[in-house]
Amino acid sequence: MHRKTIVELNTPLRTGEISSVELTQAFLDRIGQYQDLNAFITVASTTALEQAQASDDHRKNRDPRPLEGIPIAQKDIFCTEGILTTCGSKMLSNFISPYDATVIQRFKAAGAIILGKTNMDEFAMGSSNETSFYGPVKNPWAKQAVPGGSSGGSAAAVAAQLAPAATGTDTGGSIRQPAALCGITGLKPTYGRVSRYGMVAFASSLDQAGPMTRTAADAALLLNVMAGFDPKDSTSVDKPAPDYTTTLNDDLKGIRLGLPKEYFGDGLAADVAKTIDKSIEELKRLGAKIVDISLPNSTLAVPCYYVLAPAEASSNLSRFDGVRYGYRAADYDDLNDMYRKTRSQGFGEEVKRRIMIGAYTLSAGYYDAYYLKAQQLRRLIADDFHNAFGQCDVILGPTTPTTAFDLGAKTDDPVSMYLNDIYTIPANLAGLPGMSIPAGLGEDGRPIGLQLIGNAFEEAQLLNVAHQYQQATDHHKQAPKGFE
Amino acid sequence: MALDPTDVRKIAELARLEISDSELTIYTHSLAQILDLVGQMNVVDTTGISPMAHPSDSPLRLRQDLVTEQDHREGFQKIAPATESGLYLVPKVIE
């Protein structure tokens, strides 16, 4: 059962061949069996089985809801009432949220089961899952390799088939990069498409939640549940979301796919380049037209991002002061000392580094040189995309410059870690939807991701291209050895 | 971008972080590296470009000024480190 996609699970659930309780138990057993991956921070066995029972009862008496009885793993960044929400940090290691995030409410209302909360980089700051207070996650394809980050636990859980699907969040690539490194499908929607209410804030002008699944068709099912207006999020867009499943089978004939030359230059590993070229050939066979484009300012997206994201983070994370919830230091002299000790003990090294970068770039005398400059550059990066979408419908390229690197390989060099997100960050800065789908394996046998970037609110088009590609190829059907 | 340990101490104080002497060396080095990376922004002339604060350039939505939230004080305070009579307790700030 664990090998089936959500689309495939719907039939046995409907016919009664399997109950949600049985299905949920099967995944809980697998989570226990592969504990060494460290994909989960909390396994919610008791509540998951209660929810599964309630779903089975619902199915007996009423029409099934969109994700009736389907177990889903939730990134530990989403507040879940009654279940620990740590965000991968010691700061929230005792935090049981008094409310559900909108995303969680929506999954519950759709009949989905919450299997547990997945491991992640602390406060979503990282590209390898190594900054988690709960320890790194192993990549199911090669246990000495990172799964990517920050949604590394979600990616590993889906790749190892410990859950049919999971949620992630993406501020600079945190859905797409781990999806690429673990060989799964991940979609970051347009900024404002999915509610951020109850999602622990990192960089509020960039953060966006999305599905992590094995197939584009499953991602469409999840996005149908996640997307939509939420009055509780002031940046939620009041625009109806389409049914993302209805356009999956549209013909790709004549669709214009843009290849930005900046995504194929120096720094792209040869095996990744070769694999992406093969994907492009495949899409041509499906009727797509290839257009050469340029995103000239995208090469400066990483520097721009490392001003804006830490600046927003330093402001957002000022709320963690040991007063209202979360960790508080045991000994302190006065109020300021309590703040300092609580924050120094509660945050890990990378989080403190980013808070300090943000505090510095926002401080008097530096604001124009850094923050304002970065905001202007952000405009140029967004304008590049705007111009490109005059020539093409979807932008295509690699998700990451290399396959998954080894655990510990980049932990001492933050800048080399940051450069991993060179191809994913531009879409966040522009607020555009981006997706990563499996495109094959590198020379080291580790997965490679093909990235699709769409125009604002064109998630359906990304899912359509991804689904058609997956109908013609079987890269997304490969499972890592030992997890079949 | 040159950054010395005194600067880093000052930044840490602004961020309400306490850092040890050994951490100070690590942070001075890595923050300087990051500022070097960030400095690459200067190759582009952005004179006259309007700053982009947000992907959606539309103004923030307004709503009616009505009470929509229920009282959750009990639930919120149950998870607080220290409370008394409905108040959050912190070290004495006024003598």
Side-chain angles (χ1 to χ4, degrees), chain A residues 365-386:
Chain A
Y366 297 103
Y367 183 90
D368 284 4
Y370 291 110
Y371 194 64
L372 193 70
K373 177 84 187 177
Q375 285 189 321
Q376 291 174 314
L377 193 49
R378 183 178 189 176
R379 169 86 55 201
L380 295 177
I381 290 166
D383 286 349
D384 282 353
F385 279 107
H386 185 77

Side-chain angles (χ1 to χ4, degrees), chain A residues 142-182:
Chain A
K143 288 191 181 168
Q144 72 276 29
V146 303
S150 66
S151 314
S154 288
V158 174
Q161 304 173 1
L162 311 185
T167 54
T169 60
D170 191 316
T171 305
S174 285
I175 287 174
R176 290 161 289 157
Q177 188 256 15
L181 270 42
C182 287

Side-chain angles (χ1 to χ4, degrees), chain A residues 303-331:
Chain A
C304 175
Y305 176 88
Y306 277 95
V307 174
L308 297 178
E312 293 186 25
S314 78
S315 169
N316 269 327
L317 272 63
S318 64
R319 76 190 62 179
F320 300 105
D321 55 6
V323 176
R324 287 156 304 157
Y325 54 89
Y327 177 78
R328 177 189 282 198
D331 300 301

Side-chain angles (χ1 to χ4, degrees), chain A residues 283-365:
Chain A
L283 287 160
K284 272 197 219 167
R285 267 196 290 280
L286 295 173
K289 283 206 309 224
I290 302 297
V291 187
D292 289 321
I293 58 162
S294 175
L295 302 168
N297 293 291
S298 67
T299 52
L300 294 171
V302 175
C304 175
Y305 176 88
Y306 277 95
V307 174
L308 297 178
E312 293 186 25
S314 78
S315 169
N316 269 327
L317 272 63
S318 64
R319 76 190 62 179
F320 300 105
D321 55 6
V323 176
R324 287 156 304 157
Y325 54 89
Y327 177 78
R328 177 189 282 198
D331 300 301
Y332 41 82
D333 300 330
D334 55 21
L335 185 64
N336 263 326
D337 195 45
M338 185 187 91
Y339 290 156
R340 277 194 300 265
K341 289 210 163 71
T342 293
R343 289 165 63 79
S344 304
Q345 295 164 19
F347 292 137
E349 184 184 321
E350 180 60 21
V351 171
K352 284 189 252 193
R353 184 165 20 247
R354 297 210 196 176
I355 290 173
M356 284 195 281
I357 283 288
Y360 179 71
T361 58
L362 290 176
S363 61

Side-chain angles (χ1 to χ4, degrees), chain A residues 215-238:
Chain A
T215 65
D218 280 3
L221 288 176
L222 259 72
L223 191 58
N224 273 355
V225 169
M226 297 173 79
F229 176 61
D230 179 12
K232 287 177 172 166
D233 172 0
S234 63
T235 58
S236 169
V237 175
D238 193 356

